[in-house]
Amino acid sequence: AEEAATSEPARRALGRYTLGEELGRGGSGLVVVAADAEIGRAVALKTLRDGAAADRRDVRRFLDEARLTGQLEHPGIIPVHDLGALADGQPFYTMRVVKRRSLREVLRPGEPRRDMTLARACGVLIDVCNAIGYAHARGVIHRDLKPDNVLLGEYGEVYVADWGIAKTVGEAEGGALPA
């Protein structure tokens, strides 16, 4: 039953988006690949795992995450493309699909590290610091920075992901970031 419930979003079409396979899931979110018919690209579409049954607090947190992440325009933060609602009213947002490995996967004991030289590891650390420094300059604290939330793209990209529990210093939830 859980398998059927969590895979249902992947069977729906949303006007411009046709949803496909699951890319991942977290505490409250489900991410699937979606074909964006208007632009002709694949995007990652995130929804709430509980779907329309999610409580208001979870929906508010989800929308806060989408807006906050979308306002953090930095090359080291996965860009948000769209925010909307499914036919049942459940919110979703879309972002770039990152074909990646997490830093945790790369640093796992026993894994060959041919592509993670000391110089590359220092570069990854600098990129993470730059993304977090940008967020801090905007008053945003990530609050869940760990190797699982550092994604390494196929072409040297480094992304800090999962801003779901981030907070804006001195700002109520859902507020816009300072300019």
Side-chain angles (χ1 to χ4, degrees):
E2 166 134 349
E3 177 69 23
T6 57
S7 64
E8 175 161 338
R11 291 192 300 259
R12 295 190 215 150
L14 306 170
R16 99 183 247 182
Y17 301 108
T18 301
L19 307 182
E21 70 185 57
E22 181 177 320
L23 294 172
R25 63 179 66 215
S28 63
L30 171 67
V31 181
V32 298
V33 69
D36 181 341
E38 287 187 26
I39 297 179
R41 66 178 171 193
V43 296
L45 186 141
K46 185 171 184 177
T47 61
L48 287 166
R49 280 180 48 178
D50 291 341
D55 67 33
R56 284 211 279 270
R57 188 182 64 173
D58 289 339
V59 170
R60 187 187 75 241
R61 257 193 250 135
F62 182 84
L63 293 172
D64 287 348
E65 173 187 358
R67 289 181 180 121
L68 184 134
T69 306
Q71 292 171 20
L72 291 174
E73 298 185 71
H74 185 275
I77 299 170
I78 301 170
V80 171
H81 299 308
D82 194 12
L83 176 63
L86 301 173
D88 62 5
Q90 174 184 328
F92 73 86
Y93 68 93
T94 64
M95 59 198 138
R96 171 183 289 157
V97 174
V98 177
K99 293 179 171 78
R100 54 69 172 160
R101 293 179 299 163
S102 73
L103 185 57
R104 171 158 328 277
E105 292 171 64
V106 171
L107 297 178
R108 183 173 291 133
E111 291 294 313
R113 295 194 182 113
R114 289 182 295 277
D115 59 341
M116 187 53 74
T117 63
L118 180 58
R120 176 69 181 131
C122 289
V124 168
L125 181 60
I126 289 167
D127 289 345
V128 169
C129 289
N130 285 333
I132 294 299
Y134 171 82
H136 287 181
R138 303 289 311 267
V140 177
I141 309 299
H142 187 281
R143 299 189 338 149
D144 195 21
L145 189 58
K146 58 188 178 187
D148 286 329
N149 289 336
V150 174
L151 307 181
L152 306 175
E154 293 179 292
Y155 301 100
E157 315 93 314
V158 177
Y159 297 103
V160 176
D162 196 357
W163 295 80
I165 63 171
K167 291 292 180 196
T168 304
V169 176
E171 193 71 35
E173 285 188 44
L177 296 178

